[in-house]
Amino acid sequence: QRRVREMIRLFEEPGTRDELGIGPVRDAFSDLLFPGTSTIQTRARYFLFVPWHFQDAQRRGARGDQLLQRVDRGERQLIERFRKAGVVEGLIGRQAGAKVKTLPSTIYWNGLDRWGVLTASMSQRAVAQLASGSADGDDEVSSGPPNPWHPTLPAAPTGFPDEDSGGFDLTFEEASWLRERILQAADGRLLAHLVNGPQIIDADAPWLEPSVSSASTEIKAILEHARRFSLALHGAALLYNLLVSEAYEAKGLTQINEPVERYRSSLAEWATAMGEEPVHGWDWLAFWSTVADGNPRVPQLAKWFVQSWVAGTAEVGPARVADSAELRQIVEQRVTKLRKGKSVLANPKLLGLWGGSSGASPLEYRWGTVRTLVLDVQEGLARAGT
């Protein structure tokens, strides 16, 4: 039941669009806390499935483009095999099947690089050309390692990929190996701390996970910046949705039931949370220095918007944000500059198609994904001797 809840949250998380252009800051914290992850990853064993597909294609004599084609075919066949076996929790292509557009190899490639499963930063094509033994003038290949995969990569199960090979359950050996990769690649990050600690609970945000209490001072400092940012900017997202709701009801649209009342209520709840944990008076130098460690290229306009919002909230008070003309203007101008004619506020057609939420969820920094990946590894480690 817990696993099902995890996957439902992962695939049905509402309102995650970056309407306010704060994605660069969000992603900076995500990378600092959980390097190598992404929101569209699903299960930890894909970090093994992908290199196993490449190794299998090479063993069968495929090289270059033929190797890539065989990997593509193998991934799609595995999807259908898992579907027929009922192994669907976290299955990429669960709905589309073999016709899925984005395959696991694409989704996980950056993570394979970041976690050191790949021995060097290489594209899929470069790995395929490396297998053929010919660089063909490609500097990426000629300077690459003789073996693109970590030398201690666990062997694929007997029958892979022609059998379901245990589905997504990591064996003890596989889980131990992935833990070592994470501990090495994410040393000093929250991801490594979690995977090497007690089994995580069903917390709704990373800062609510009990094992965080034993994390290093540096990890706690990053997480506190992330938490404060999430809390403060959630108000901006809710105010934007209130503006959309008002425009929606003013047009006489009724498919969404009383959105204005709903977002005013949400803003009132947010104001209460802000009152309990005030976030004004930030050390902006420390904050932006931390963000730069994760992403040194945050646009200046994004920084201006964040600081203007926090300062405006502190000035008018959280309880008065919903009716603040100044904060309404800051949010509306920000969205208009970013989206122009594609803004729901500026496009009547898009307003009519509005689903009731545009980036209204609080930032959780890939926590839904990370929680599942960490739990996969921890459950694999618990299989020792079984």
Side-chain angles (χ1 to χ4, degrees), residues 154-167:
T158 302
F160 180 88
D162 298 324
E163 300 176 7
D164 61 45
S165 306

Side-chain angles (χ1 to χ4, degrees), residues 270-342:
W270 169 80
T272 299
M274 287 285 287
E276 294 173 352
E277 299 185 50
V279 294
H280 58 277
W282 285 12
D283 182 345
W284 288 112
L285 182 62
F287 178 83
W288 290 120
S289 176
T290 300
V291 171
D293 288 338
N295 180 5
R297 296 178 294 277
V298 175
Q300 283 300 125
L301 286 178
K303 294 182 178 180
W304 175 88
F305 171 72
V306 170
Q307 293 192 206
S308 297
W309 171 261
V310 173
T313 300
E315 182 178 350
V316 305
R320 298 168 56 190
V321 162
D323 297 304
S324 168
E326 179 183 356
L327 290 175
R328 283 170 167 255
Q329 185 178 34
I330 287 175
V331 169
E332 186 170 359
Q333 288 181 346
R334 175 62 175 165
V335 174
T336 301
K337 287 181 179 179
L338 282 172
R339 304 296 178 190
K340 298 182 172 59
K342 295 182 180 180

Side-chain angles (χ1 to χ4, degrees), residues 49-339:
F49 284 158
V50 173
W52 287 344
H53 276 297
F54 275 81
Q55 290 180 332
D56 176 72
Q58 185 174 0
R59 278 194 298 268
R60 294 173 187 259
R63 299 292 185 268
D65 288 343
Q66 289 183 344
L67 187 145
L68 292 178
Q69 292 168 7
R70 187 166 192 94
V71 168
D72 182 288
R73 185 165 63 252
E75 288 190 280
R76 296 182 191 279
Q77 289 174 344
L78 191 65
I79 291 171
E80 289 303 324
R81 192 166 293 114
F82 275 24
R83 292 175 81 195
K84 290 179 181 178
V87 183
V88 295
E89 295 173 10
L91 177 63
I92 295 171
R94 176 176 181 172
Q95 300 298 329
K99 295 181 179 179
V100 66
K101 292 183 178 179
T102 307
L103 289 168
S105 53
T106 299
I107 293 172
Y108 280 78
W109 200 260
N110 179 65
L112 293 169
D113 179 15
R114 185 65 181 83
W115 285 12
V117 180
L118 278 165
T119 54
S121 296
M122 303 179 69
S123 66
Q124 294 185 45
R125 180 166 297 279
V127 170
Q129 290 179 345
L130 187 65
S132 70
S134 173
D136 293 331
D138 191 328
D139 292 338
E140 183 183 8
V141 179
S142 60
S143 61
N147 179 12
W149 305 111
H150 196 284
T152 63
L153 177 73
T158 302
F160 180 88
D162 298 324
E163 300 176 7
D164 61 45
S165 306
F168 290 114
D169 291 340
L170 291 165
T171 66
F172 173 75
E173 291 75 18
E174 293 165 0
S176 298
W177 188 82
L178 277 178
R179 179 176 63 176
E180 289 305 311
R181 301 284 70 71
I182 294 170
L183 292 179
Q184 182 174 350
D187 182 38
R189 302 303 184 190
L190 183 55
L191 177 64
H193 175 78
L194 292 175
V195 83
N196 203 38
Q199 184 162 309
I200 60 174
I201 67 167
D202 196 19
D204 291 330
W207 44 86
L208 298 177
E209 167 57 44
S211 61
V212 167
S213 62
S214 60
S216 68
T217 301
E218 180 183 0
I219 291 175
K220 289 180 179 178
I222 295 172
L223 193 59
E224 177 62 9
H225 280 306
R227 183 192 69 83
R228 285 156 58 94
F229 181 74
S230 175
L231 176 59
L233 272 295
H234 187 209
L238 292 174
L239 182 57
Y240 168 65
N241 277 272
L242 176 60
L243 294 175
V244 175
S245 299
E246 291 172 346
Y248 186 87
E249 292 190 4
K251 288 287 187 180
L253 300 170
T254 59
Q255 188 172 356
I256 306 299
N257 186 42
E258 299 182 339
V260 170
E261 180 180 345
R262 174 156 59 92
Y263 281 108
R264 280 194 171 273
S265 176
S266 295
L267 277 166
E269 294 176 3
W270 169 80
T272 299
M274 287 285 287
E276 294 173 352
E277 299 185 50
V279 294
H280 58 277
W282 285 12
D283 182 345
W284 288 112
L285 182 62
F287 178 83
W288 290 120
S289 176
T290 300
V291 171
D293 288 338
N295 180 5
R297 296 178 294 277
V298 175
Q300 283 300 125
L301 286 178
K303 294 182 178 180
W304 175 88
F305 171 72
V306 170
Q307 293 192 206
S308 297
W309 171 261
V310 173
T313 300
E315 182 178 350
V316 305
R320 298 168 56 190
V321 162
D323 297 304
S324 168
E326 179 183 356
L327 290 175
R328 283 170 167 255
Q329 185 178 34
I330 287 175
V331 169
E332 186 170 359
Q333 288 181 346
R334 175 62 175 165
V335 174
T336 301
K337 287 181 179 179
L338 282 172
R339 304 296 178 190

